[in-house]
Amino acid sequence: MTHKKIAMEHDKKIALIAHDHKKWDLVEWAKYNRDLLAHHRIYATGTTGALLERELSFDITKLQSGPLGGDQQIGAKIADGGIDFVIFFSDPLESLSHDPDIKALLRMAVVWNIPIACNRASADFMISSPLMDGEYDRLVPDYEEYRSRKLNTNGGTSEVQGVVTKAVMDAQ
C-alpha cells in the first residue's frame, strides 16, 4: 500500500479527554504544561473541557460528553483531519457503558496515524518532543484503493460477502 503525507502545522490540534476518575490527573498535567499547550488548538469532551478552560484560562473547544457522543465527535474530527493528536487519560479499572465509542475513537487514531498518549508518562514524552513545536508530515496509508474497490451489487451481496459465504459453505 502506498502512503501519503498529511501536514501537521506548527500549532497542533490536540484532543484532551479523561474519564471521571482521571479528570483531575489530566487537569494537573495540563496546568503543568499550560505554556506549552496555550498556542495550540485544544479540543475536549464535556466536563473535561469545562474544567480545563476554567483552570487554564484559555479557550477550549468543548464537545459533547464522551457517553453523549463526544468520543465519536473526536473520532470524526480525526477522520476529517481536524485532530493532530490525542491525550486520553482513561481509567483502566472502570467499566464504561460507552467502551465501544472509546474503542472506535482509538481505532480512528490508529487508522489515521494519530499519536495517542494514554497516561501521564506518554503525554509528557509527546508534549516535550522536538516535533511538538514544528511542522511534521504524518504518513498515512493511501486509502484510495479501499475507497474505490468494486462491490458486486448483484442481489445486494458484495464480493466480500460472497467469498465469506462460500468459505462457510465449503467448511460445512
Side-chain angles (χ1 to χ4, degrees):
M1 182 176 278
T2 60
H3 288 79
K4 66 180 186 176
K5 293 179 182 180
I6 297 178
M8 287 184 181
E9 298 174 1
H10 176 269
D11 292 340
K12 307 294 185 287
K13 298 167 283 194
I14 304 170
L16 300 178
I17 309 164
H19 288 149
D20 287 347
H21 292 99
K22 296 292 185 173
K23 287 190 189 316
W24 286 108
D25 291 343
L26 180 63
V27 168
E28 288 302 314
W29 177 86
K31 284 169 58 175
Y32 182 81
N33 291 290
R34 185 202 182 283
D35 293 341
L36 294 172
L37 292 169
H39 69 86
H40 298 287
R41 288 176 280 176
I42 308 298
Y43 298 82
T45 53
T47 310
T48 304
L51 290 170
L52 288 166
E53 193 168 68
R54 185 181 74 212
E55 295 293 325
L56 300 177
S57 300
F58 62 77
D59 289 337
I60 308 287
T61 301
K62 295 175 289 301
L63 305 171
Q64 293 292 327
S65 175
L68 300 177
D71 297 326
Q72 291 183 351
Q73 287 179 301
I74 296 286
K77 285 188 169 300
I78 290 170
D80 289 340
I83 296 291
D84 293 320
F85 72 85
V86 175
I87 297 175
F88 190 167
F89 284 17
S90 64
D91 187 348
L93 303 178
E94 187 74 25
S95 178
L96 301 164
S97 62
H98 65 292
D99 275 342
D101 298 339
I102 297 162
K103 185 175 180 181
L105 181 155
L106 296 174
R107 181 179 170 280
M108 284 298 96
V110 171
V111 165
W112 293 103
N113 196 23
I114 298 290
I116 312 163
C118 293
N119 56 43
R120 189 173 188 134
S122 57
D124 286 342
F125 272 85
M126 278 178 45
I127 198 81
S128 63
S129 168
L131 300 174
M132 187 66 196
D133 280 326
E135 293 180 5
Y136 177 77
D137 287 332
R138 184 168 40 92
L139 291 178
V140 297
D142 185 350
Y143 293 115
E144 193 52 42
E145 182 180 319
Y146 179 81
R147 288 184 186 110
S148 62
R149 71 194 185 283
K150 291 185 180 187
L151 298 177
N152 177 357
T153 57
N154 294 339
T157 303
S158 72
E159 288 178 58
V160 173
Q161 289 171 325
V163 169
V164 171
T165 302
K166 182 181 181 329
V168 169
M169 289 172 57
D170 289 346
Q172 294 175 349

